[in-house]
Amino acid sequence: MKIITILSVFLTGLSLYAQPSVPEDYFSSPLEVPLVLSGTFGELRSNHFHSGLDIKTQQRQGLNVLATAEGYVSRINIQHYGYGKALYVQHPNGYTTVYAHLQKFSPEIEAYVKKQQYANETYEIELFPETGELKISQNELIALSGNTGGSGGPHLHYEIRDGSQRPMNPKLFGYQIKDSRPPIINSLFAYPLDAESHVNNSAERQKIRLIPLQDGSYTTEKIDACGNIGFGVSTVDQQDMAPNKNGVYKVEASVNGDDIFSIKFNRFSFAESRHLNQLIDYEYYSSHKSRVKKLYVEPGNPLSVYDNVISEGKLNIEDSLDYNYNIRVTDFSGNERLIRIPIRGRNSGEIQPKKINKTDYFVNANQAFAAEENGIDFYVPAGSLYENTYLDVKFKGDTIDFHTKETPIHKNITLGFDVSKYSPADREKLFIARLGYGGRPLYTSTYKKGDRFTTGIRTFGEYTLAADVTAPKITPVNFSDGQWISSNHNLRVKISDDLSGIKSYRATVNGKFILMEYEYKNNTLTHNFEDGVVTETENDFKLIVTDNVGNSSTYEAKFFRKN
C-alpha cells in the first residue's frame, strides 16, 4: 500500500499542477437577475455532458442578455433544434463565451443576421463575422433570452470555452451560485469485472442497500467479494432556490485510506463527450432511466474528466482480507456526502454466473462486422461498439429487429434495405424508419441510390421500410384569405406532417422571399412585419412546405395591410 500511496500523492500533485489557472474576476453576470440554475456543467445528458450552465429566466422570455466581457462576435448559429439562436463572443484573453436558446439578438446583431438570412433565403444559418466587425463591450446588451432550439423551457444556456474551444466549468471563473445542500445519493451498485470475480456469490451487478447515518453519511452491510470488482453510484445535486436535480461536481473513491479514483468536471472536449456512455451503466440507464457513474475506467475510455486514477479504479479483493471502500460525492460549493462500504474477501465455490445470450452475430469491438439476410444488411465499423458483443438480430420481411436498446452505439452503424421489388414511384415515398412506441414509424435520414436504401443509426431497435403518401398540413393562425391585418405584428402559420416530418419550407409575399422562423415545439412558422419586407397594401402570400419524402403542400392567401 505504501507504493500506491506514494504514486497517489505524485499523481494528485501532477493533477493540481495541470489544472487551468483561470481569472476569477474577468467575467460578469450574463443576466440582470440572480443566478439560479436548472442545469450544471458536466451534467449527464443523453449521449453527452452538459457543456455550460442553464440559468433560469424566471419562466420568462425576453430578459436582457449581457456580454460578460469585452470582445467581438465570432460566430452566430441559428438552427431549428439544438442551441436554437446562439451567439459566440471571442475575448482578448483567449476565452469564448456562448449564449444559447436566445429569442432575438440586439438590434445591430439582428440587422446583420437578417441581412444574411434574406441574402441566402434561409432561416437556419451559420455566420462567422470578421474579427472586430461586431465589437462588444462588457455588460453590453447582446440579445434577449428565449426558448429556441431544443430548450425544454425558457432559460439561458451559458458557456465559457478555452482557446481550443473546450467547454470549461463557468464556476471556476468566480460565479457564485447559492448552494448549501449536500448531494443526494440515489443508489449504489457493485460490479464483478471478470468471470472469476463475484459480489455476494454472484457474477452479476449487485444493488447495495444504503444505510443512512445521523451525520448525513451512509454505510452498507458488509459485502462478500473476491477478484476484480468495481462500484457505481447514482447521485444528483440540488442547489438553493431551485428544485432541479443537477449534476455533481466531483466523485472520489478510496480503499483503506488510499485514493484510487476521482472524476471532476472542470473541462472536457466535445470530441470525447459521447464516451459518457462508457462512464455510466448504460444497460441500467436504458431500463431504469437512472444514470449510474461507474467508479472505474472501462478499456478504451479516453475521458479527460478522470483524475487521480490508480489501477483503473478497480479493486482486487483477496480471500480472507478486509477492505474499507469509501465514496465521497461533492458539489462545487464543497457540500459532500460520504458512503462507507466494508468488504470481506471471501472465495466462493458457488458463484452465480453472468448470463450471456450467445448468438450467430458476434462482434469484436475492434473489428468491422457485416451480415445480410432477406434483402436487409448491416455493417458495424470497428469502434462502433465499446465492447465485444453478441448481437441479437431477427430478420422479418421488410423489418429487422436489431439487438437491444440496452447496448450503446458510439459511431454510426449502417443499415441497408434492398428495394428492387418496389416500383420507382413507390420508392419515392418510402423511407427507413425506426419503430417507436406503439409501433409508430419514426423517420431516419434515408440515402437512396438505385435499388438500395441506407441509413446510419446510433440506437439499436426495430427498423423497417415505411411509406408516407400524405402531404404536410398548413393552417393559418392569425389571418385568413382576404382579411385586413394592419394591427398584426406578425404572420403566423401552423405546419405539420403526419409521418416523415418537415424537411423544408419557403414563403413569399408578392413573389418576394420572406423570412419565417420555425418553432418545431409548437409547429409554428412566424414572419415579423418589422423586417420591412412587406410594404404593399394588397399582398399575395404563398407558402410551400415539403416533407422528407418529397410530398409538398402549397397554401395561398391574399391579405391587406396599411403600413
Side-chain angles (χ1 to χ4, degrees):
M1 296 300 289
K2 182 180 292 184
I3 294 175
I4 293 178
T5 302
I6 293 172
L7 183 58
S8 173
V9 171
F10 170 76
L11 290 177
T12 300
L14 185 62
S15 172
L16 290 173
Y17 177 81
Q19 289 299 322
S21 176
V22 299
E24 295 187 17
D25 57 357
Y26 187 86
F27 295 106
S28 56
S29 175
L31 293 174
E32 297 170 319
V33 297
L35 298 185
V36 180
L37 303 184
S38 60
T40 53
F41 180 84
E43 201 165 276
L44 309 183
R45 302 285 179 89
S46 295
N47 301 309
H48 70 283
F49 297 112
H50 188 234
S51 55
L53 301 180
D54 283 346
I55 306 174
K56 288 176 175 285
T57 56
Q58 303 175 339
Q59 299 181 336
R60 295 183 291 159
Q61 299 188 51
L63 271 63
N64 291 340
V65 176
L66 311 177
T68 55
E70 68 170 330
Y72 64 91
V73 177
S74 57
R75 180 185 176 197
I76 305 166
N77 196 21
I78 299 177
Q79 50 189 167
H80 296 142
Y81 309 103
Y83 280 9
K85 293 185 180 182
L87 199 62
Y88 299 70
V89 178
Q90 181 68 45
H91 303 285
N93 63 353
Y95 293 101
T96 301
T97 51
V98 183
Y99 313 78
H101 306 307
L102 304 171
Q103 182 187 71
K104 64 187 304 184
F105 305 111
S106 65
E108 181 185 5
I109 300 172
E110 189 78 12
Y112 175 89
V113 172
K114 287 283 179 72
K115 181 179 179 180
Q116 298 299 322
Q117 288 176 314
Y118 274 98
N120 291 276
E121 296 193 354
T122 180
Y123 170 69
E124 289 192 298
I125 197 166
E126 186 174 20
L127 303 170
F128 297 90
E130 295 292 332
T131 301
E133 186 174 1
L134 293 173
K135 291 183 179 180
I136 299 295
S137 301
Q138 187 171 36
N139 297 322
E140 179 180 338
L141 175 69
I142 55 174
L144 299 179
S145 67
N147 187 33
T148 56
S151 171
H155 73 277
L156 174 68
H157 175 87
Y158 174 66
E159 294 179 19
I160 299 178
R161 299 184 183 180
D162 68 11
S164 299
Q165 290 299 301
R166 293 173 298 182
M168 297 180 64
N169 193 334
K171 291 184 179 181
L172 294 170
F173 294 81
Y175 289 104
Q176 299 297 317
I177 311 295
K178 192 173 182 181
D179 184 1
S180 60
R181 306 163 70 177
I184 298 169
I185 308 298
N186 294 320
S187 54
L188 174 70
F189 293 88
Y191 298 84
L193 299 178
D194 54 47
E196 291 73 39
S197 303
H198 77 86
V199 174
N200 293 336
N201 296 327
S202 175
E204 298 280 5
R205 171 186 60 218
Q206 297 294 302
K207 188 171 185 177
I208 308 300
R209 185 171 72 91
L210 291 162
I211 303 171
L213 302 177
Q214 288 186 346
D215 63 359
S217 65
Y218 294 88
T219 189
T220 71
E221 296 163 339
K222 183 166 285 190
I223 296 171
D224 286 343
C226 203
N228 292 315
I229 69 170
F231 287 88
V233 62
S234 171
T235 177
V236 295
D237 188 39
Q238 284 186 303
Q239 287 140 68
D240 297 359
M241 300 184 292
N244 304 77
K245 295 179 179 180
N246 302 134
V248 300
Y249 172 58
K250 182 169 57 176
V251 182
E252 301 166 291
S254 63
V255 60
N256 296 339
D258 291 317
D259 296 334
I260 64 167
F261 178 90
S262 176
I263 184 168
K264 189 184 301 182
F265 292 100
N266 281 337
R267 173 170 56 187
F268 64 86
S269 69
F270 289 108
E272 65 180 303
S273 190
R274 194 173 177 88
H275 283 280
L276 169 144
N277 292 331
Q278 282 183 285
L279 166 66
I280 66 172
D281 183 339
Y282 192 92
E283 179 183 6
Y284 186 82
Y285 166 71
S286 66
S287 55
H288 294 81
K289 300 309 173 187
S290 175
R291 293 183 174 93
V292 177
K293 293 185 182 72
K294 297 176 183 176
L295 307 185
Y296 57 94
V297 182
E298 294 278 21
N301 189 343
L303 286 175
S304 60
V305 293
Y306 292 125
D307 183 45
N308 192 23
V309 176
I310 305 297
S311 300
E312 299 173 322
K314 301 172 183 177
L315 287 73
N316 186 3
I317 306 299
E318 298 183 19
D319 188 32
S320 303
L321 294 181
D322 289 337
Y323 303 80
N324 291 308
Y325 182 81
N326 290 347
I327 301 171
R328 190 179 304 273
V329 182
T330 312
D331 64 28
F332 197 87
S333 296
N335 305 300
E336 63 180 34
R337 291 283 191 194
L338 183 64
I339 308 172
R340 298 181 178 89
I341 308 165
I343 304 171
R344 175 172 50 199
R346 175 172 291 185
N347 258 326
S348 175
E350 300 180 359
I351 300 175
Q352 177 186 341
K354 187 172 184 178
K355 296 177 183 178
I356 300 176
N357 181 28
K358 294 187 177 181
T359 71
D360 294 334
Y361 305 99
F362 177 75
V363 180
N364 186 313
N366 297 318
Q367 298 176 8
F369 183 89
E372 185 272 338
E373 189 174 321
N374 291 352
I376 304 174
D377 60 84
F378 64 87
Y379 173 71
V380 184
S384 291
L385 303 180
Y386 295 113
E387 59 185 16
N388 298 343
T389 305
Y390 284 99
L391 296 181
D392 186 9
V393 186
K394 299 179 181 67
F395 298 91
K396 301 175 292 185
D398 277 345
T399 300
I400 176 173
D401 190 350
F402 198 17
H403 199 52
T404 168
K405 65 178 183 179
E406 295 177 345
T407 299
I409 299 175
H410 185 69
K411 60 183 181 181
N412 279 0
I413 290 174
T414 300
L415 275 181
F417 287 76
D418 182 354
V419 295
S420 58
K421 64 183 179 182
Y422 295 95
S423 69
D426 287 341
R427 290 179 205 173
E428 288 184 6
K429 305 305 178 185
L430 285 175
F431 63 95
I432 300 174
R434 179 170 65 86
L435 296 181
Y437 181 75
R440 177 174 172 77
L442 304 173
Y443 178 83
T444 65
S445 296
T446 304
Y447 177 69
K448 302 180 178 182
K449 185 175 182 180
D451 293 341
R452 189 167 183 264
F453 288 4
T454 59
T455 189
I457 67 167
R458 279 194 171 183
T459 303
F460 284 115
E462 202 167 1
Y463 290 83
T464 191
L465 290 174
D468 182 358
V469 296
T470 305
K473 185 178 180 181
I474 304 173
T475 307
V477 174
N478 64 345
F479 70 101
S480 60
D481 188 25
Q483 186 179 8
W484 279 86
I485 55 172
S486 300
S487 60
N488 284 18
H489 297 292
N490 55 45
L491 204 62
R492 284 184 288 129
V493 178
K494 288 268 189 180
I495 62 172
S496 61
D497 187 72
D498 72 328
L499 198 55
S500 64
I502 303 296
K503 180 181 181 180
S504 64
Y505 59 89
R506 189 175 192 276
T508 60
V509 168
N510 300 328
K512 181 186 290 187
F513 170 83
I514 63 168
L515 185 68
M516 299 199 81
E517 298 188 10
Y518 179 40
E519 177 48 77
Y520 76 94
K521 293 190 286 290
N522 58 19
N523 299 315
T524 302
L525 289 174
T526 302
H527 170 72
N528 292 305
F529 288 126
E530 67 182 22
D531 287 2
V533 178
V534 179
T535 58
E536 302 294 326
T537 300
E538 181 178 331
N539 299 279
D540 292 316
F541 173 74
K542 182 177 182 180
L543 173 64
I544 302 172
V545 181
T546 306
D547 66 20
N548 278 298
V549 297
N551 298 308
S552 183
S553 294
T554 300
Y555 174 82
E556 296 183 82
K558 187 183 295 290
F559 67 86
F560 300 89
R561 188 171 188 271
K562 288 184 178 180
N563 294 288

